[in-house]
Amino acid sequence: MSIPRRLVLAASILVLAHAAPAAHAPALLSADDTPANVDSTYGSGNFGAWFTDRFGLPAFRYDADEQSDARARQPELAGATEAQHQVGNDHIVAAAFNHGYTQLWSQDRLSQWANFYDPASQHWAGGYGYLNVGGTVASTLYADRASAAPFERDFGVGYFRKTTSAAGLEIEQVVYAPFGDDPLLLDDVTITNRTGTPQTASWFEYWDVNPYDVSGKTNRGVGQATWDPSAATLSASQSGGFANDAMPLALFAAVLQGPMDGYETSLATFFGAGTRAAPAEVVADAASGTLAPPSPAGAPGGTLFVFRAPLALAPGAAVTLRYAYGMAHAEQIPALVAKYRALPDPLAVSERAWASWVPKADFGADDRWVARELAWDAYLLRSASVYEELCGAHTITQGGYYQYATGFNLGTRSWPHYLLPIVYTAPELARDILRYTIALQPEVGGQLPYGTGPLCARFDLGTSSDLDFWVLLAAVEYGLGSRDMAFFDTQVPFLDTKRPETLWTHLKLAYRHQESLRGPHGGYLAGSNGDWSDFSTSFLKMTETMLVAAQLAYVYPRLAELADRRGDGAFAKELRTRGKQLRRVVGHEWTGKGWYSRGYGGDRQIGSGAIFGEPQPWAILAGVPSRKKAARLVANIQRFLDGVGAPRGPSRIGSSLTPAHDDPDVTERSAGAVGVGDNTANYVGGTWFDVNGWLTWALGELDGVVPKARDLAWSEYTRNTLANHAQQFPDHWAGTISIDDTCYAYYASKPEQCGNDLYRQYDGQITEQPTWMVMDAVRLAGVTPTKAGYRIAPHLPFARFSLRLPRVGVAAESRQLRGYVRPEQAGPIELRVALPRGVASASLVTWADGRRVRHRGGRGFVVFHVTASAGAAADWAVTW
């Protein structure tokens, strides 16, 4: 006789709940503080090599000679040789260059450099110094190094380290942004006597004063330099410039540790008749104490900050000097100086904090380089943070040429998706980013701006149809990922009326505004600028976007889960209904070629004869394609975007956004197609790290649906790494330690080149690639937050792995899965854990914080609960 299915299920649940006890509870993953093994030189390229520094963190030693090596001339910079490294914390960002200098960037009020490098006016940025040993002058500027002197340059997590020597004295200089939220750089200079006799010398610490407003393309005025002997601090105010800055920051430099005998603030006096390599006062071994007069805005001034430290060193002896350089309001400077003067070793404190914070991964010995890159990319992501005083919040910027060439914070779709992995690494920063973004929402009309400009002013670039989506996506990830429901009661004023409303009300307005843009084919009106692909309205003649329809088909059901948790059942019901409608809309956009359309130009379907990369991942994530269609879609992505079987394919880096213009199987080509690189069939072309981040995530979700989906996801993930770009194009600096938001596609005439061709003033330091390296690691490890808790379904092609982030961790080992979450709010959490194939359900044991707990199961998952305290680790495990 047949047994009713419900009785079979009940019996299996009973068996699972009373499985035989395991001998020992698994160790708590949250208690594992073992450093990740990141010791790999893979993907170093030809400009230097990766290594593990004394703090256990990845670092890159740049050892190319840009003055003689032709490879240093980079096409992204129109042939210039600058190779930069991002040095930052939660407040400021600095750019350290291979030439040896460091520029400090502040976005507190204006978008500006404090010490803009300008050779024409003898402004050399600073962050380096001079040693006078018995009349011999040595500089730590690489460009002015002695020809026979050794010279090392290390780009590390939060620092730029240089070493050289002169007359038997070794100089180590480390410029770093201390971990945390302080608007300054520190500079540790250690001088060691390597001779057998006593030595006397003088160190001259040099920081320039050349504030430059990038958005206004003008120098700021500099006030009379001042000296505070009680705090050993030099400072100068700012004035003028493009923006009407009523409360400008002051620039300052201070001696924190070591002797001082003289200072200088006059550029003309310091350099005198000397040169950059040997300034007059360094040669004379004296600093006059001149206080530079004020200078007006509009032209470079004549101020700098120099300190002289006289040294007497016994054989083998060493001394460490320490200095601060920053931008802050005058009343804030004394406390900042006092704080870091009191710390005996702020560099070690900072690096230990970074080492504790960065993700720690183990993907096996052959993939240590991936663990290295994950830690490095997480640093690049967080160190792109800035504080904007008038907005009253921190945000993570897009960086790169967008920031340092235009001076604008672009933009509103960027900040929310940088937030996604920050939910699992620094939730307090994630909250700030969401507040920052939602505060730009107007009550009247509801159209979010494209970005912000100086003094937190709204910046518009037409209208874009996807901006509300990114806000909703960020809110969902934060709310479900952190379990923090109270945050959505935060009052945030509207940009136009200044009337405060709860963040939840703002989100519902974003939904209403998004839905006001519905188009005639069921998608969304493209707006005057388009969607994620800026200017697609102009270049594709697109009037209605199906990318946004696919994105919302994914996010609306997820937002419904958040609404359920808040008890907003009516809104949740509306979201689910609209989500189902959108899945049908996107499903109808399946073309006869085997992919989803891009959109419409009037009644003309865009994407019927060529696949566009943008909408495909979101259609997958929304669960639109059937198993058969998903397999065909993936095959077409491989064929046209990965270039498998295509002319000049396959792609050596990530997937391209559109196929090649000369691909014989493409039947739709834009007239006079423009975009990134050449030979692109349609706008935008190129390889974009954002879209490939979505694609990696989507391929992982097809695990068990499409054969070898997890292998394809891992391939896409690793091909979009910096290490892979450097391995494929070793003579190309762009893509070695940071990269632009896009590179040329596999079919371009110069597939090694990066950048979007609008800018050639800056290279690298754009935040898309590190964002998705961290976020995709979370998703491939299997972590998806839900209304009830977390679904854990690893999609990595390994039987064993470990991923530990500050707020979540997962490890797969022999006969067990374990992990932890650190939610922001206390309460019960449901864990729904996917089981490897072949696991006998009768042998399962589930654990919460080291104690056995009851469970239920079925369809390849086991379900159980842990109880969490706010901010504390809740560990879980499944053994068999």
Side-chain angles (χ1 to χ4, degrees):
M1 70 177 179
S2 63
I3 300 175
R5 182 179 177 187
R6 65 181 180 275
L7 294 181
V8 173
L9 179 61
S12 65
I13 291 172
L14 186 64
V15 169
L16 291 173
H18 295 282
H24 300 287
L28 303 182
L29 187 62
S30 68
D32 184 357
D33 58 1
T34 307
N37 188 337
V38 297
D39 191 16
S40 172
T41 60
Y42 179 85
S44 293
N46 290 335
F47 291 90
W50 289 101
F51 68 98
T52 303
D53 68 13
R54 65 188 177 95
F55 305 104
L57 291 166
F60 186 87
R61 176 157 295 166
Y62 186 97
D63 59 17
D65 182 2
E66 65 269 24
Q67 294 172 316
S68 62
D69 191 338
R71 294 174 299 185
R73 294 195 293 271
Q74 293 297 298
E76 288 79 4
L77 295 173
T81 60
E82 284 79 11
Q84 85 302 326
H85 169 48
Q86 180 171 288
V87 176
N89 58 21
D90 287 352
H91 201 118
I92 51 89
V93 185
F97 291 87
N98 54 339
H99 302 329
Y101 61 85
T102 300
Q103 288 184 166
L104 173 63
W105 176 270
S106 170
Q107 220 158 286
D108 277 52
R109 301 184 66 80
L110 304 186
S111 302
Q112 64 172 124
W113 295 109
N115 54 331
F116 185 59
Y117 183 80
D118 184 11
S121 57
Q122 281 192 299
H123 284 289
W124 309 110
Y128 64 92
Y130 303 88
L131 188 69
N132 184 323
V133 188
T136 298
V137 174
S139 170
T140 58
L141 192 69
Y142 181 79
D144 293 333
R145 71 199 183 283
S147 59
F151 207 108
E152 289 181 352
R153 290 162 291 175
D154 295 340
F155 296 140
V157 171
Y159 69 83
F160 176 32
R161 174 184 174 271
K162 296 169 289 183
T163 64
T164 189
S165 61
L169 298 188
E170 180 181 272
I171 310 165
E172 180 189 57
Q173 182 173 30
V174 185
V175 174
Y176 55 105
F179 185 91
D181 192 28
D182 289 327
L184 81 173
L185 298 171
L186 301 180
D187 185 17
D188 286 8
V189 182
T190 300
I191 300 174
T192 305
N193 182 2
R194 297 298 186 190
T195 75
T197 60
Q199 297 288 325
T200 59
S202 294
W203 170 258
F204 288 79
E205 176 77 5
Y206 164 62
W207 287 95
D208 194 55
V209 176
N210 189 28
Y212 185 80
D213 174 8
V214 174
S215 61
K217 304 296 184 289
T218 186
N219 295 88
R220 303 209 70 197
V222 177
Q224 170 81 49
T226 63
W227 166 245
D228 180 354
S230 63
T233 301
L234 291 167
S235 61
S237 62
Q238 297 184 87
S239 63
F242 174 75
N244 182 22
D245 185 2
M247 296 179 62
L249 303 179
L251 288 79
F252 69 95
V255 180
L256 302 181
Q257 179 177 294
M260 192 204 76
D261 183 12
Y263 62 84
E264 184 57 72
T265 70
S266 168
L267 183 153
T269 303
F270 179 68
F271 287 105
T275 64
R276 182 185 64 186
E281 287 198 327
V282 177
V283 173
D285 199 9
S288 71
T290 303
L291 293 174
S295 60
T303 304
L304 47 65
F305 296 148
V306 170
F307 299 108
R308 175 179 176 269
L311 306 172
L313 296 170
V319 62
T320 295
L321 314 173
R322 182 169 298 123
Y323 303 91
Y325 178 76
M327 297 179 71
H329 290 293
E331 64 272 16
Q332 298 171 327
I333 295 172
L336 285 168
V337 171
K339 173 181 176 178
Y340 287 98
R341 183 171 285 143
L343 290 177
D345 192 353
L347 175 60
V349 170
S350 181
E351 294 306 299
R352 283 196 296 267
W354 279 117
S356 175
W357 179 82
V358 296
K360 298 165 184 64
D362 183 355
F363 302 121
D366 291 341
D367 290 312
R368 285 177 184 164
W369 64 273
V370 186
R372 180 199 74 208
E373 174 131 345
L374 183 59
W376 182 260
D377 281 332
Y379 162 71
L380 290 180
L381 175 61
R382 185 167 185 174
S383 63
S385 303
V386 295
Y387 179 71
E388 295 197 14
E389 187 175 287
L390 273 72
C391 290
H394 299 79
T395 191
I396 293 177
T397 72
Q398 194 167 17
Y401 35 63
Y402 297 106
Q403 183 165 321
Y404 304 121
T406 73
F408 292 96
N409 193 353
L410 309 175
T412 304
R413 74 169 60 92
S414 300
W415 319 314
H417 81 264
Y418 304 152
L419 173 152
L420 302 177
I422 294 295
V423 169
Y424 303 102
T425 56
E428 68 285 354
L429 178 56
R431 289 191 291 272
D432 243 20
I433 296 170
L434 196 51
R435 275 194 298 263
Y436 177 96
T437 309
I438 208 69
L440 295 168
Q441 183 186 50
E443 185 172 15
V444 180
Q447 175 66 49
L448 287 159
Y450 186 81
T452 58
L455 302 175
C456 200
R458 175 181 178 130
F459 175 83
D460 284 293
L461 185 66
T463 57
S464 301
S465 60
D466 65 325
L467 302 182
D468 296 299
F469 159 75
W470 292 106
V471 173
L472 298 176
L473 180 68
V476 165
E477 198 69 39
Y478 178 78
L480 297 180
S482 72
R483 325 304 296 166
D484 180 5
M485 295 299 106
F487 176 61
F488 295 96
D489 294 322
T490 302
Q491 296 279 322
V492 179
F494 288 104
L495 180 67
D496 51 353
T497 65
K498 307 303 179 186
R499 187 176 69 84
E501 265 294 0
T502 66
L503 199 148
W504 187 246
T505 300
H506 279 275
L507 294 176
K508 294 177 78 170
L509 178 61
Y511 167 75
R512 303 294 176 203
H513 178 261
Q514 183 69 72
E515 287 304 292
S516 73
L517 304 177
R518 290 165 69 171
H521 299 88
Y524 291 82
L525 299 176
S528 62
N529 191 42
D531 50 23
W532 179 88
S533 295
D534 288 323
F535 314 121
S536 51
T537 300
S538 299
F539 291 114
L540 289 177
K541 308 304 179 186
M542 186 175 70
T543 58
E544 186 176 0
T545 168
M546 286 299 163
L547 163 61
V548 176
Q551 289 174 319
L552 294 169
Y554 166 77
V555 84
Y556 279 169
R558 305 270 293 139
L559 185 59
E561 294 188 72
L562 186 61
D564 282 337
R565 280 194 60 80
R566 286 193 51 84
D568 197 339
F571 187 39
K573 182 179 179 181
E574 181 178 354
L575 287 163
R576 288 192 173 94
T577 298
R578 182 60 183 142
K580 289 179 182 178
Q581 293 171 353
L582 285 171
R583 285 195 293 279
R584 288 195 294 270
V585 167
V586 176
H588 289 153
E589 293 303 311
W590 182 257
T591 70
K593 295 280 189 174
W595 53 74
Y596 296 96
S597 81
R598 178 67 177 86
Y600 287 85
D603 286 329
R604 175 181 60 88
Q605 188 182 53
I606 300 171
S608 60
I611 186 172
F612 285 72
E614 296 100 316
Q616 315 310 324
W618 294 105
I620 294 170
L621 291 169
V624 175
S626 64
R627 180 182 293 264
K628 182 177 179 180
K629 285 182 177 178
R632 189 176 178 196
L633 176 57
V634 169
N636 278 318
I637 290 171
Q638 289 185 277
R639 165 63 181 82
F640 292 102
L641 305 183
D642 276 347
V644 178
R648 289 172 302 284
S651 177
R652 287 187 274 171
I653 56 172
S655 298
S656 62
L657 198 62
T658 55
H661 189 277
D662 62 358
D663 191 308
D665 294 326
V666 170
T667 60
E668 179 181 350
R669 298 173 177 87
S670 300
V674 296
V676 174
D678 55 2
N679 194 32
T680 179
N682 294 289
Y683 182 80
V684 178
T687 293
W688 292 79
F689 294 100
D690 232 356
V691 179
N692 290 345
W694 315 340
L695 179 57
T696 298
W697 175 13
L699 290 170
E701 292 300 311
L702 291 177
D703 187 18
V705 176
V706 173
K708 298 184 177 181
R710 61 172 56 193
D711 296 303
L712 294 173
W714 184 250
S715 172
E716 188 69 43
Y717 182 70
T718 53
R719 285 188 293 114
N720 280 276
T721 57
L722 298 170
N724 180 60
H725 197 278
Q727 195 73 12
Q728 300 300 327
F729 307 114
D731 291 343
H732 213 66
W733 172 252
T736 301
I737 68 168
S738 72
I739 203 163
D740 298 316
D741 52 343
T742 181
C743 295
Y744 287 12
Y746 66 87
Y747 47 72
S749 59
K750 298 178 180 179
E752 74 281 358
Q753 189 161 321
C754 296
N756 70 11
D757 297 324
L758 292 175
Y759 309 101
R760 286 288 175 251
Q761 303 98 317
Y762 208 86
D763 176 37
Q765 280 181 248
I766 293 183
T767 319
E768 269 72 13
Q769 190 268 346
T771 293
W772 288 104
M773 283 304 299
V774 182
M775 189 61 202
D776 283 335
V778 173
R779 288 294 195 253
L780 293 180
V783 179
T784 301
T786 66
K787 174 176 66 176
Y790 300 87
R791 177 169 61 90
I792 309 295
H795 303 310
L796 290 164
F798 313 115
R800 301 174 68 95
F801 73 87
S802 175
L803 177 68
R804 291 172 286 143
L805 282 73
R807 295 288 169 154
V808 69
V810 181
E813 295 140 330
S814 177
R815 294 185 295 173
Q816 68 178 27
L817 276 168
R818 59 189 178 121
Y820 60 86
V821 294
R822 284 190 176 90
E824 294 293 282
Q825 187 169 308
I829 294 175
E830 179 186 274
L831 276 303
R832 184 176 178 83
V833 182
L835 299 172
R837 292 175 185 170
V839 172
S841 59
S843 69
L844 286 175
V845 180
T846 50
W847 308 84
D849 291 319
R851 298 183 301 276
R852 280 191 61 174
V853 293
R854 296 171 66 87
H855 58 267
R856 57 186 173 86
R859 297 188 178 182
F861 282 85
V862 62
V863 182
F864 58 102
H865 291 80
V866 297
T867 300
S869 299
D875 279 81
W876 59 268
V878 180
T879 60
W880 56 88

